[in-house]
Short mmCIF file of all heavy atoms in Angstrom, two decimals:
data_model
loop_
_atom_site.label_atom_id
_atom_site.label_comp_id
_atom_site.label_asym_id
_atom_site.label_seq_id
_atom_site.Cartn_x
_atom_site.Cartn_y
_atom_site.Cartn_z
N MET A 2 3.13 17.34 34.96
CA MET A 2 2.64 18.56 35.61
C MET A 2 1.65 19.24 34.72
O MET A 2 1.63 19.15 33.52
CB MET A 2 3.98 19.44 35.75
CG MET A 2 4.98 19.01 36.56
SD MET A 2 6.15 20.30 36.80
CE MET A 2 6.82 19.83 38.20
N GLY A 3 0.83 19.99 35.42
CA GLY A 3 -0.29 20.56 34.75
C GLY A 3 0.11 22.06 34.25
O GLY A 3 -0.63 22.95 34.50
N ILE A 32 -6.88 61.41 1.59
CA ILE A 32 -6.44 61.75 0.33
C ILE A 32 -7.53 62.53 -0.39
O ILE A 32 -7.37 63.55 -1.00
CB ILE A 32 -6.12 60.57 -0.50
CG1 ILE A 32 -4.86 60.00 0.18
CG2 ILE A 32 -5.86 60.82 -1.96
CD1 ILE A 32 -4.30 58.71 -0.43
N ASN A 38 -10.17 70.22 -2.47
CA ASN A 38 -10.08 71.59 -2.46
C ASN A 38 -8.80 72.22 -2.92
O ASN A 38 -8.32 73.31 -2.64
CB ASN A 38 -10.29 72.21 -0.94
CG ASN A 38 -11.70 71.95 -0.43
OD1 ASN A 38 -12.51 71.97 -1.23
ND2 ASN A 38 -11.78 71.83 0.78
N ALA A 39 -8.26 71.48 -3.88
CA ALA A 39 -6.83 71.85 -4.38
C ALA A 39 -6.89 73.07 -5.24
O ALA A 39 -6.00 73.84 -5.17
CB ALA A 39 -6.29 70.61 -5.19
N ALA A 51 1.54 90.22 -3.89
CA ALA A 51 1.27 91.05 -2.56
C ALA A 51 2.10 90.39 -1.55
O ALA A 51 2.39 89.17 -1.51
CB ALA A 51 -0.22 90.96 -2.29
N SER A 70 -6.43 90.84 -22.15
CA SER A 70 -7.17 91.65 -23.19
C SER A 70 -8.40 92.27 -22.58
O SER A 70 -9.10 93.07 -23.31
CB SER A 70 -7.56 90.63 -24.22
OG SER A 70 -8.53 89.71 -23.86
N GLY A 71 -8.77 92.06 -21.27
CA GLY A 71 -9.93 92.60 -20.66
C GLY A 71 -11.21 91.77 -20.82
O GLY A 71 -12.31 92.09 -20.24
N VAL A 80 -17.97 85.71 -20.37
CA VAL A 80 -19.25 86.39 -20.15
C VAL A 80 -19.15 87.90 -20.36
O VAL A 80 -18.05 88.41 -20.38
CB VAL A 80 -19.87 86.21 -18.77
CG1 VAL A 80 -20.22 84.73 -18.55
CG2 VAL A 80 -18.83 86.62 -17.75
N GLU A 84 -24.35 89.60 -18.81
CA GLU A 84 -24.40 88.07 -18.53
C GLU A 84 -23.90 87.87 -17.08
O GLU A 84 -24.49 87.11 -16.26
CB GLU A 84 -23.65 87.24 -19.51
CG GLU A 84 -24.31 87.25 -20.89
CD GLU A 84 -23.37 86.45 -21.83
OE1 GLU A 84 -22.19 86.35 -21.69
OE2 GLU A 84 -23.98 85.94 -22.85
N GLU A 86 -23.64 89.97 -14.66
CA GLU A 86 -24.79 90.48 -13.56
C GLU A 86 -25.88 89.50 -13.45
O GLU A 86 -26.36 89.24 -12.36
CB GLU A 86 -25.24 91.85 -14.07
CG GLU A 86 -26.17 92.51 -13.04
CD GLU A 86 -26.50 93.93 -13.35
OE1 GLU A 86 -26.04 94.44 -14.35
OE2 GLU A 86 -27.34 94.47 -12.65
N ARG A 93 -27.10 84.63 -6.37
CA ARG A 93 -27.58 85.20 -5.05
C ARG A 93 -29.00 84.90 -4.63
O ARG A 93 -29.19 84.79 -3.47
CB ARG A 93 -27.44 86.81 -5.20
CG ARG A 93 -27.60 87.46 -3.91
CD ARG A 93 -27.03 88.88 -3.98
NE ARG A 93 -26.92 89.46 -2.63
CZ ARG A 93 -27.82 90.21 -2.04
NH1 ARG A 93 -28.92 90.57 -2.83
NH2 ARG A 93 -27.76 90.67 -0.84
N PRO A 97 -27.70 83.45 -0.84
CA PRO A 97 -27.37 84.86 -0.71
C PRO A 97 -26.02 85.21 -0.17
O PRO A 97 -25.60 86.33 -0.47
CB PRO A 97 -28.47 85.40 0.21
CG PRO A 97 -28.93 84.26 0.91
CD PRO A 97 -28.81 82.97 0.08
N ASP A 98 -25.37 84.32 0.49
CA ASP A 98 -24.10 84.70 1.07
C ASP A 98 -22.97 83.84 0.44
O ASP A 98 -22.17 83.24 1.23
CB ASP A 98 -24.12 84.61 2.64
CG ASP A 98 -23.09 85.34 3.33
OD1 ASP A 98 -22.55 86.37 2.74
OD2 ASP A 98 -22.76 84.92 4.44
N PHE A 99 -22.82 83.85 -0.89
CA PHE A 99 -21.65 83.07 -1.38
C PHE A 99 -20.50 84.01 -1.63
O PHE A 99 -20.58 85.14 -1.92
CB PHE A 99 -22.09 82.45 -2.68
CG PHE A 99 -22.37 83.41 -3.82
CD1 PHE A 99 -21.44 83.65 -4.83
CD2 PHE A 99 -23.62 83.96 -3.88
CE1 PHE A 99 -21.75 84.62 -5.75
CE2 PHE A 99 -23.89 84.87 -4.98
CZ PHE A 99 -22.92 85.19 -5.89
N ILE A 102 -14.39 85.63 -5.73
CA ILE A 102 -12.93 86.10 -5.79
C ILE A 102 -12.84 86.74 -7.20
O ILE A 102 -13.39 86.24 -8.14
CB ILE A 102 -12.00 84.97 -5.54
CG1 ILE A 102 -12.14 83.91 -6.59
CG2 ILE A 102 -12.05 84.51 -4.14
CD1 ILE A 102 -11.01 82.76 -6.46
N ARG A 104 -9.95 87.58 -9.91
CA ARG A 104 -8.54 87.33 -10.44
C ARG A 104 -8.20 88.19 -11.66
O ARG A 104 -8.71 87.84 -12.75
CB ARG A 104 -8.48 85.84 -10.78
CG ARG A 104 -8.80 84.94 -9.61
CD ARG A 104 -8.83 83.45 -10.09
NE ARG A 104 -7.58 83.04 -10.35
CZ ARG A 104 -7.14 82.30 -11.41
NH1 ARG A 104 -8.08 81.96 -12.24
NH2 ARG A 104 -5.91 81.95 -11.66
N VAL A 117 -15.85 95.56 -12.67
CA VAL A 117 -16.27 94.37 -12.03
C VAL A 117 -16.57 94.49 -10.53
O VAL A 117 -17.67 94.09 -10.05
CB VAL A 117 -15.34 93.26 -12.26
CG1 VAL A 117 -15.70 91.98 -11.48
CG2 VAL A 117 -15.22 92.87 -13.71
N LEU A 120 -19.81 96.39 -10.02
CA LEU A 120 -20.95 95.48 -10.25
C LEU A 120 -21.29 94.59 -9.03
O LEU A 120 -22.37 94.51 -8.58
CB LEU A 120 -20.73 94.60 -11.47
CG LEU A 120 -21.63 93.42 -11.64
CD1 LEU A 120 -23.05 93.93 -12.04
CD2 LEU A 120 -21.19 92.39 -12.71
N GLN A 128 -18.90 89.16 0.56
CA GLN A 128 -17.76 88.35 0.56
C GLN A 128 -16.93 88.31 -0.76
O GLN A 128 -17.14 87.55 -1.66
CB GLN A 128 -18.02 86.93 0.98
CG GLN A 128 -18.62 86.76 2.30
CD GLN A 128 -18.75 85.29 2.71
OE1 GLN A 128 -17.92 84.46 2.31
NE2 GLN A 128 -19.69 84.94 3.41
N VAL A 132 -7.53 88.14 -5.67
CA VAL A 132 -6.54 87.21 -5.60
C VAL A 132 -5.19 87.78 -6.08
O VAL A 132 -5.20 88.46 -7.14
CB VAL A 132 -6.86 85.99 -6.56
CG1 VAL A 132 -5.80 84.92 -6.52
CG2 VAL A 132 -8.18 85.35 -6.12
N ALA A 136 4.71 87.50 -3.17
CA ALA A 136 5.74 88.32 -3.52
C ALA A 136 7.09 87.51 -3.45
O ALA A 136 7.34 86.59 -2.63
CB ALA A 136 5.89 89.58 -2.62
N GLY A 138 10.95 86.85 -2.72
CA GLY A 138 11.94 87.32 -1.74
C GLY A 138 11.43 87.51 -0.47
O GLY A 138 11.25 87.51 0.57
#
Side-chain angles (χ1 to χ4, degrees):
M2 296 194 157
I32 290 172
N38 291 332
S70 66
V80 292
E84 291 173 337
E86 184 174 0
R93 188 162 191 264
D98 201 25
F99 67 96
I102 60 170
R104 304 172 68 224
V117 170
L120 171 68
Q128 296 187 34
V132 178

